[in-house]
Amino acid sequence: MRKIFLGLPSHWLMIVIISAIIFACGINKMHVSNFNLFISIVFISIAVLVGFVLKTSKQKN
């Protein structure tokens, strides 16, 4: 399984959490009723995910 799921388990956990947040917003039809808030949640979630991955991954010199 390590050949399929590359990366740290915490990265995969964050992807699942962020996906659940965005999915919950979509199920509640937030993308129709409150589009600006929905887009803000999506962008902030992605920024948090990218920041977390960059901060916790090993950097090659």
Side-chain angles (χ1 to χ4, degrees):
M1 291 302 278
R2 289 199 181 268
K3 292 181 181 180
I4 296 172
F5 295 108
L6 300 176
L8 299 175
S10 61
H11 293 173
W12 286 101
L13 180 64
M14 281 297 288
I15 290 172
V16 169
I17 291 170
I18 298 293
S19 298
I21 291 170
I22 294 172
F23 184 76
C25 291
I27 286 293
N28 291 326
K29 298 180 178 121
M30 188 180 285
H31 60 286
V32 176
S33 63
N34 201 348
F35 185 73
N36 291 335
L37 180 60
F38 176 74
I39 290 298
S40 297
I41 290 171
V42 169
F43 285 159
I44 291 169
S45 299
I46 292 172
V48 167
L49 178 63
V50 170
F52 177 76
V53 169
L54 288 176
K55 186 175 181 178
T56 60
S57 62
K58 297 177 184 175
Q59 302 293 325
K60 290 186 178 180
N61 291 330

